Amino acid sequence: MVRDRSISSRLLDVATHVTMAVVLLVTLLPFIHVVSISFSGPKDIVAGNVFLWPVNFDLTAYKLIFSNFLIPKSFLNSVIITALGTAINMAMTVLTAYPLSKSRLPFRSFFLKMFLLTMFFSGGLVPKFLLVNSLGMYDSFWALTVPLAINTYFMIIMLSFFKNFPKEIEESAKIDGCNDMQVLVRIVLPLSMASVMTIGLFYAVQHWNSYFQALLYINSNEKYPLQLILRQIVLQSQIQNLMQGSPIDYQTQANSESLKYGTLVISILPMLILYPFIQKYFVRGVMIGSLKG
Amino acid sequence: MFAVLSEEMGADRRECTLRLRAMPCYICIERRRRRGGREIGEGEKAMDLRQQVTIRPERASIGKWGRLRREVAVHRFLLLMLVPGFVYFVVFQYLPMYGILVAFKDFRLNANVGYIENVFTSSWAGLKHFITFVESPNFWKLLRNTILLSVYNTIFGFPAPILFAILLNEVRQLLYKKVIQTVSYLPYFISTVAVIGMLKMLLSPESGAINNILGALFGIEPKYYFGDADWFRTLFVTSDIWQKLGWGSIIYLAALSKVNPEMYESAVIDGARRTQQIWHITLPALKTTIVVMLLLSLSGLLDVGVEKVLLMYSPATYETADVLSTYIYRRGLVDMSYSFGTAVELFNGVVNLLILVGANYASRKLTSESLW
């Protein structure tokens, strides 16, 4: 191929490389910065000495986190909510998407239209809040999981995947005496694990990162998920509630700063560790979705 | 066609095994095809079905309802699977829509009865709440804030992933490209709480890195950006771009991956510069995707996310930061003015719908691309 050596081409190269470098730096530096700070001495944090490498390596932040009752508890809560929520999501999404992917299903277009409509119209925040409360879900993990059982968009992705599943396999299973339920559980699901897992990951990330649902429905401290605790500590600086009422002196202030950074790191750490391994699934999931859109 | 035939088999297997010998059904057709025999024509397949009908003449007379009942019986397992999803949509999507009635009522919560009765038995208020809202001094401020924040977000946030995708498409080193892509997707998977938390700490006036750097390099006094109403929109839009740049570019990169490389090669032969290739090949390839994405983003013009603004604003920045969705949350849920909150929300939803319909219409006229 002939190389374009014109000035405009070189300018384009410069622009490309500068943009890419800026994107790389701007994306990564904040993470490195926050992690470094969380491992630094409390005094250096307050003085603003830390930039990209821990200064006076120190584990105060993490000692504070683990001596505090609420933060490990909220981490556990987030794990429970994510597991429970994703399990409900997957069961409901698969059960709904599979029948809808069969064009022979009676009333199929009615069901499909009825479900799709909810992507454009919804009752909104207040009626939903009233409904969930009157169902007796207030202050329980059910309120964070059951009302979000199906994400219509993910359901459509799943549906279009099932639609492309080879008909011949299902039909031969039927001739061997399987009913539709057995076909799904024994044949289709095991063979579609990759895409089912992809959607599962999307759901799991959503549950792990969500705070607003908990803000609406969770009242008692010991049921708070991690993101809500993070909001209290980092954004509202309500640290006094969490640390046993010691007077505010220089030491406490320094400690509270380490606590902020430590909690932040704890909340994004699972994502940072898992991300390189699961990243390709996310991209695949989006690709499946974009084919339709 | 095949589906219909195999369905009959699924319905009554024993009958089918008998029928297998008697007439060509799906299996026979499939076998014949695999043997490499004559292809079965469309007309012939229709023949098969008619043969079945003649084999069982009673089906012709069972009528519409009978056939429907049979359809349901045949697909009972599929329909059974759909039950939980159907219940979910009715309860958690359609019952809240019924709750919109609250906007036209003076909602009073009676703890002894359920949601449906509560909404039903509250007394009517007509358009009272809508009028209160439109006449309140907050109305214009909220509308202005919502529209401005959304418009800024679209003007700056919408082209960013497109530009990024186009430039990334020019990177020829595959490994480098992969690394950049992987890194750029990452912020999308970090929670909004963590993103805003990081931003707030980076901007902290005492120890934040940004204030320190600005101070060391340019001698700028530390400033509490989060408490300054003038800075709210900048921070909101910037953090949004930071979080969504890479992820937003995926859909454009997918569109670009479908462009035939021969197009670029023949352009080179014709003497097109790389900038000209971008203009004449890359951009036209993205056009459909760009229009659809723009329409989708316009449809949420008045939907500035309550989740993010709620994390970022404070009474000090209400002047520029308070938007419709946060107002709905504060008045509707925190102050428990349920009817008023619902009325504001309904107003918001109706305006959004009008914008979407209008944008779709305009787009169909101007670019012949549209959502429907």
Side-chain angles (χ1 to χ4, degrees):
Chain A
M1 207 160 135
V2 196
R3 282 210 56 171
D4 183 357
R5 295 204 175 278
S6 65
I7 297 174
S8 66
S9 163
R10 287 182 193 175
L11 276 177
L12 184 68
D13 271 331
V14 172
T16 308
H17 285 106
V18 170
T19 313
M20 296 307 140
V22 169
V23 169
L24 270 183
L25 288 179
V26 169
T27 310
L28 284 180
L29 288 186
F31 290 109
I32 301 174
H33 181 66
V34 167
V35 173
S36 308
I37 290 189
S38 77
F39 284 108
S40 297
K43 287 191 181 102
D44 297 290
I45 298 176
V46 176
N49 290 337
V50 193
F51 193 54
L52 289 179
W53 197 249
V55 179
N56 292 327
F57 187 83
D58 191 313
L59 287 173
T60 314
Y62 298 96
K63 278 180 203 146
L64 278 172
I65 285 172
F66 288 108
S67 65
N68 180 307
F69 164 69
L70 274 180
I71 302 175
K73 175 79 181 152
S74 70
F75 190 93
L76 191 67
N77 287 340
S78 276
V79 172
I80 296 172
I81 293 164
T82 305
L84 176 74
T86 312
I88 294 177
N89 287 146
M90 287 327 286
M92 295 286 284
T93 306
V94 168
L95 277 182
T96 313
Y98 182 71
L100 287 177
S101 72
K102 303 278 162 255
S103 49
R104 59 192 162 87
L105 181 82
F107 311 116
R108 174 174 179 272
S109 80
F110 163 76
F111 286 123
L112 205 55
K113 276 176 197 151
M114 175 186 163
F115 297 169
L116 284 181
L117 187 74
T118 61
M119 291 174 93
F120 299 99
F121 304 97
S122 81
L125 198 61
V126 181
K128 198 159 190 175
F129 177 82
L130 295 174
L131 170 71
V132 171
N133 283 357
S134 79
L135 290 174
M137 290 176 172
Y138 189 73
D139 206 22
S140 82
F141 291 161
W142 299 115
L144 311 183
T145 50
V146 176
L148 301 173
I150 298 177
N151 177 317
T152 315
Y153 180 69
F154 292 165
M155 199 264 287
I156 300 296
I157 295 180
M158 197 90 257
L159 188 160
S160 61
F161 175 78
F162 283 142
K163 214 175 212 166
N164 293 329
F165 195 87
K167 277 198 180 68
E168 290 77 7
I169 301 180
E170 292 178 45
E171 274 161 9
S172 64
K174 279 197 157 179
I175 291 167
D176 289 341
C178 280
N179 61 40
D180 284 306
M181 203 86 89
Q182 289 166 321
V183 171
L184 174 64
V185 175
R186 293 194 188 168
I187 313 285
V188 179
L189 270 190
L191 289 175
S192 348
M193 257 322 165
S195 30
V196 171
M197 293 298 280
T198 309
I199 301 292
L201 280 176
F202 271 111
Y203 275 126
V205 171
Q206 265 186 8
H207 282 296
W208 182 265
N209 284 340
S210 96
Y211 86 95
F212 189 62
Q213 297 294 318
L215 182 68
L216 293 182
Y217 299 116
I218 298 296
N219 189 30
S220 30
N221 276 351
E222 68 269 21
K223 285 182 188 159
Y224 272 12
L226 190 56
Q227 303 295 341
L228 214 52
I229 293 279
L230 186 67
R231 173 177 178 263
Q232 283 202 341
I233 294 181
V234 177
L235 290 166
Q236 304 183 320
S237 300
Q238 291 175 354
I239 295 172
Q240 296 312 309
N241 304 351
L242 301 165
M243 302 194 2
Q244 282 73 40
S246 48
I248 309 169
D249 52 20
Y250 184 73
Q251 187 59 39
T252 333
Q253 204 211 331
N255 282 346
S256 79
E257 283 296 307
S258 2
L259 191 67
K260 282 184 185 178
Y261 284 96
T263 318
L264 187 62
V265 171
I266 291 278
S267 88
I268 57 180
L269 201 61
M271 206 59 236
L272 286 181
I273 293 174
L274 291 175
Y275 179 72
F277 302 103
I278 57 184
Q279 184 254 128
K280 60 170 187 271
Y281 296 104
F282 289 130
V283 176
R284 199 180 297 158
V286 160
M287 291 301 191
I288 304 173
S290 72
L291 287 180
K292 278 270 135 185
Chain B
M1 182 60 215
F2 282 169
V4 175
L5 283 173
S6 59
E7 211 40 61
E8 310 284 7
M9 293 190 289
D12 195 339
R13 245 180 317 126
R14 207 171 303 144
E15 190 185 286
C16 179
T17 45
L18 287 175
R19 216 188 287 161
L20 264 179
R21 288 177 218 122
M23 55 166 288
C25 73
Y26 170 60
I27 309 280
C28 318
I29 294 170
E30 190 57 27
R31 272 190 201 141
R32 212 192 294 173
R33 200 177 57 76
R34 279 207 204 115
R35 272 206 314 269
R38 197 169 48 85
E39 274 294 321
I40 308 294
E42 196 58 43
E44 215 168 335
K45 273 188 264 168
M47 270 294 288
D48 296 343
L49 187 67
R50 249 176 278 142
Q51 266 175 326
Q52 280 192 10
V53 176
T54 43
I55 287 169
R56 298 181 58 184
E58 74 276 8
R59 203 170 325 150
S61 61
I62 55 178
K64 193 179 159 199
W65 289 108
R67 210 171 303 138
L68 191 66
R69 215 165 52 218
R70 203 184 120 77
E71 279 271 281
V72 170
V74 168
H75 298 107
R76 60 190 182 281
F77 284 107
L78 285 182
L79 288 168
L80 210 62
M81 278 184 228
L82 208 51
V83 169
F86 183 73
V87 171
Y88 165 80
F89 275 99
V90 169
V91 174
F92 289 104
Q93 303 289 344
Y94 282 88
L95 276 184
M97 287 188 205
Y98 157 76
I100 291 176
L101 280 180
V102 166
F104 304 97
K105 296 199 164 198
D106 273 323
F107 186 76
R108 267 169 200 282
L109 198 61
N110 177 355
N112 298 321
V113 295
Y115 169 76
I116 295 175
E117 295 94 323
N118 258 324
V119 173
F120 186 74
T121 53
S122 302
S123 57
W124 289 97
L127 295 176
K128 189 176 86 184
H129 302 295
F130 292 90
I131 293 166
T132 319
F133 173 57
V134 171
E135 285 176 349
S136 78
N138 277 324
F139 178 73
W140 289 110
K141 187 185 87 181
L142 289 168
L143 209 58
R144 187 194 68 211
N145 285 348
T146 311
I147 291 174
L148 275 184
L149 204 54
S150 199
V151 165
Y152 286 150
N153 222 7
T154 309
I155 292 178
F156 297 105
F158 185 75
I162 304 175
L163 276 176
F164 181 64
I166 291 174
L167 289 179
L168 194 62
N169 199 43
E170 295 297 320
V171 176
R172 297 288 172 226
Q173 299 85 344
L174 274 184
L175 184 69
Y176 183 44
K177 195 171 170 177
K178 259 214 147 79
V179 169
I180 293 171
Q181 273 181 285
T182 306
V183 168
S184 69
Y185 302 156
L186 177 62
Y188 187 80
F189 294 100
I190 305 302
S191 73
T192 321
V193 189
V195 170
I196 303 305
M198 273 203 268
L199 185 64
K200 194 169 185 181
M201 294 195 292
L202 281 171
L203 287 171
S204 142
E206 294 95 26
S207 57
I210 293 179
N211 268 317
N212 285 344
I213 294 171
L214 287 178
L217 291 182
F218 308 108
I220 297 172
E221 285 291 302
K223 187 172 158 71
Y224 184 49
Y225 294 96
F226 257 80
D228 188 339
D230 292 338
W231 275 90
F232 178 82
R233 288 178 188 135
T234 314
L235 293 180
F236 186 90
V237 172
T238 319
S239 60
D240 226 60
I241 294 176
W242 184 78
Q243 203 177 1
K244 291 172 184 164
L245 179 77
W247 191 250
S249 72
I250 288 189
I251 192 151
Y252 301 108
L253 288 170
L256 285 181
S257 71
K258 285 176 201 137
V259 179
N260 189 347
E262 283 172 17
M263 300 252 285
Y264 289 105
E265 281 161 29
S266 57
V268 169
I269 291 167
D270 289 345
R273 298 214 179 101
R274 277 171 67 206
T275 39
Q276 289 171 317
Q277 292 172 29
I278 291 180
W279 188 254
H280 293 289
I281 302 175
T282 310
L283 269 178
L286 291 177
K287 192 184 138 199
T288 312
T289 318
I290 292 176
V291 172
V292 170
M293 296 306 282
L294 189 64
L295 282 177
L296 285 176
S297 79
L298 285 182
S299 74
L301 197 64
L302 249 51
D303 266 337
V304 178
V306 59
E307 305 211 0
K308 194 170 166 189
V309 183
L310 210 56
L311 293 169
M312 286 182 75
Y313 79 168
S314 60
T317 52
Y318 276 178
E319 192 46 41
T320 55
D322 201 12
V323 291
L324 284 166
S325 55
T326 48
Y327 187 68
I328 294 163
Y329 168 75
R330 277 208 318 280
R331 293 299 310 276
L333 296 182
V334 180
D335 302 346
M336 294 191 278
S337 315
Y338 297 123
S339 289
F340 185 75
T342 313
V344 179
E345 200 155 31
L346 185 57
F347 170 83
N348 189 354
V350 169
V351 175
N352 259 338
L353 197 66
L354 290 180
I355 293 175
L356 177 64
V357 172
N360 197 57
Y361 178 80
S363 158
R364 201 166 36 194
K365 289 278 163 201
L366 295 174
T367 68
S368 73
E369 306 283 352
S370 64
L371 291 177
W372 62 81

